[in-house]
Amino acid sequence: MTTMIALVIGFALDAVLGDPRWLPHPVVLMGRAISALEPRLRAAFPPTQRGLRAAGKVLVAVLVISTFVLTSAVLWLSGLVSPWLRLAVESWLSYQALAACELRRQTMAVRAELLRGDLPAARKAVSMVVGRETAHLDEAGVARAAVETVAENASDGVIAPLVFLAVGGAPLGLAYKAVNTMDSMIGYKNERYLDFGRAAALTDDVVNWLPARFAGVCIVAAAPLAGLDGAGARRVWRSDRHKSESPNAAQTESAMAGALGIHLNGDATYFGRVVHKPQLGVDTRPIEADDIRRAGRLMYVACALALVVCACARMAVLLALGRM
């Protein structure tokens, strides 16, 4: 029961506080660990395809296991002092695993620049939350990139962590964040990371398989509650949710596209290379800056639904096990 209370408190803290810059964040520490381990592992293994892939596997194992063990130890030690201290620490760690408020804050900054008519500033703002090159995007391209990142990170940044926090508390939730952080840093199909980052990318695909589908369903269910097109979300999600090279990305993006009545994806440039992505959804109107605000609203409603489902599922399991 403590774990679920901590998750609800963490969700509320994220909604209210976001990620203040002055607070230390576990993801920052994970990023520093990845940056420190990468050159050492590259030096420890032969610079061949097999050697680089083995080094990448070691990085995944070390970071995930150490994150889980360290978080478990912190909670155990807190519990020895007081159950209330453990609740407070787990609530804080659960809050740190979620990123809904920060995602909305950063994408709303993109909207503000678009409404101001400052396209260069909007391009710079959206470059902070997407991996693609943004220097040549027009206003529609900037808005589309922002909506896509809301759709994708509704799963990666909020709903997937909620699932893992509900299943295994802060240790499993932060272990998931370790996988997600590695994928965002080294899970690229470029010359540097094609082999070294392969294990991180594959692990991220595997651990997100079920949460991404759950997130897609949550967005479909949330669309009419958020005042958007529920039938459109359901229709496009059913037809387009597998139209992606990634096994997971289109699950939430297709539902978001249908709910807003726009198309997402299409060609994008990464590291100087144009990547052709299948279009998700069909335009019923031109995309606009306010679609970023609508996407953020839909994300919050979907995440609230996910929290309710996770809480009910955990309580049902505990009741079945006789632990409530």
Side-chain angles (χ1 to χ4, degrees):
M1 193 64 179
T2 301
T3 292
M4 203 62 240
I5 294 172
L7 176 52
V8 173
I9 294 172
F11 187 87
L13 287 173
D14 176 66
V16 173
L17 300 178
D19 291 328
R21 293 288 183 266
W22 53 271
L23 280 177
H25 200 287
V27 170
V28 174
L29 298 177
M30 293 171 189
R32 290 175 181 170
I34 293 166
S35 297
L37 286 170
E38 180 184 344
R40 290 169 172 79
L41 288 170
R42 284 182 180 273
F45 287 83
T48 61
Q49 181 185 75
R50 185 174 181 180
L52 289 171
R53 289 185 178 184
K57 290 176 183 177
V58 171
L59 175 59
V60 171
V62 168
L63 193 64
V64 171
I65 293 171
S66 61
T67 299
F68 185 88
V69 170
L70 181 60
T71 307
S72 299
V74 168
L75 291 178
W76 179 72
L77 290 171
S78 302
L80 292 180
V81 176
S82 164
W84 293 105
L85 178 60
R86 180 190 169 99
L87 174 62
V89 171
E90 187 157 20
S91 299
W92 185 261
L93 293 174
S94 297
Y95 152 51
Q96 297 285 278
L98 303 171
C101 184
E102 183 65 12
L103 175 62
R104 185 177 185 278
R105 184 189 69 78
Q106 291 190 335
T107 53
M108 287 296 283
V110 178
R111 171 182 176 269
E113 299 297 352
L114 287 174
L115 292 177
R116 233 180 252 122
D118 192 340
L119 182 56
R123 288 168 174 164
K124 182 176 181 181
V126 82
S127 73
M128 305 299 291
V129 291
V130 300
R132 74 192 64 183
E133 295 177 13
T134 63
H136 302 294
L137 293 179
D138 59 10
E139 290 185 3
V142 169
R144 185 165 287 108
V147 171
E148 286 173 12
T149 200
V150 171
E152 182 179 356
N153 285 287
S155 177
D156 293 357
V158 193
I159 295 178
L162 279 175
V163 170
F164 285 100
L165 287 165
V167 172
L172 195 60
L174 288 180
Y176 167 79
K177 292 299 290 186
V179 172
N180 196 240
T181 303
M182 281 186 287
D183 181 61
S184 67
M185 290 182 65
I186 65 173
Y188 296 105
K189 292 184 178 180
N190 56 21
E191 184 177 354
R192 178 175 178 82
Y193 290 119
L194 182 61
D195 292 312
F196 185 80
R198 179 181 172 85
L202 289 176
T203 303
D204 187 75
D205 286 344
V206 170
V207 301
N208 276 300
W209 194 90
L210 185 59
R213 282 146 184 81
F214 174 52
V217 171
C218 287
I219 290 176
V220 170
L225 300 176
L228 299 171
D229 187 354
R234 184 171 59 254
R235 182 178 63 255
V236 177
W237 176 74
R238 283 177 172 173
S239 63
D240 293 358
R241 68 184 186 272
H242 298 302
K243 291 183 179 179
S244 174
E245 182 180 355
S246 162
N248 302 318
Q251 295 288 329
T252 50
E253 291 178 356
S254 60
M256 183 72 74
L260 294 174
I262 59 175
H263 87 265
L264 296 177
N265 277 1
D267 294 349
T269 303
Y270 296 85
F271 305 105
R273 182 172 67 92
V274 176
V275 176
H276 303 285
K277 296 182 177 182
Q279 179 176 304
L280 306 175
V282 178
D283 292 325
T284 60
R285 58 174 176 78
I287 191 170
E288 58 187 19
D290 262 346
D291 284 316
I292 301 172
R293 178 179 56 83
R294 297 181 187 109
R297 183 172 73 240
L298 177 55
M299 174 196 68
Y300 260 110
V301 176
C303 293
L305 282 177
L307 177 64
V308 171
V309 172
C310 287
C312 291
R314 183 175 177 89
M315 286 189 290
V317 170
L318 292 176
L319 282 170
L321 295 175
R323 293 171 61 182
M324 280 191 66

